[in-house]
Amino acid sequence: MGQELQETFEEVVMNLKEHEEVIVRVRDRAYVVAPATADDVKRIVRGEASMD
């Protein structure tokens, strides 16, 4: 039986390139994880992002 290589969550996220996304499931909810752009960070810090 071959050796399986599994990336950790941190490795998967850190290896995402610009415009790449990954779906993360936590219990019964799915989340889209992608690298934030500078504009994303500015928008969220100003409180324009919604966490509905």
Side-chain angles (χ1 to χ4, degrees):
M1 187 187 268
Q3 185 179 17
E4 283 188 41
L5 297 177
Q6 292 185 348
E7 291 181 297
T8 66
F9 176 73
E10 180 178 3
E11 290 168 333
V12 170
V13 171
M14 293 303 296
N15 287 327
L16 289 173
K17 305 291 187 262
E18 188 175 349
H19 304 295
E20 288 185 330
E21 300 173 328
V22 65
I23 301 293
V24 177
R25 291 196 59 85
V26 178
R27 297 184 187 173
D28 62 343
R29 295 190 64 181
Y31 299 86
V32 177
V33 178
T37 64
D39 288 339
D40 292 332
V41 173
K42 288 177 187 175
R43 185 183 75 247
I44 292 169
V45 170
R46 286 193 309 238
E48 295 178 13
S50 174
M51 297 296 288
D52 291 334

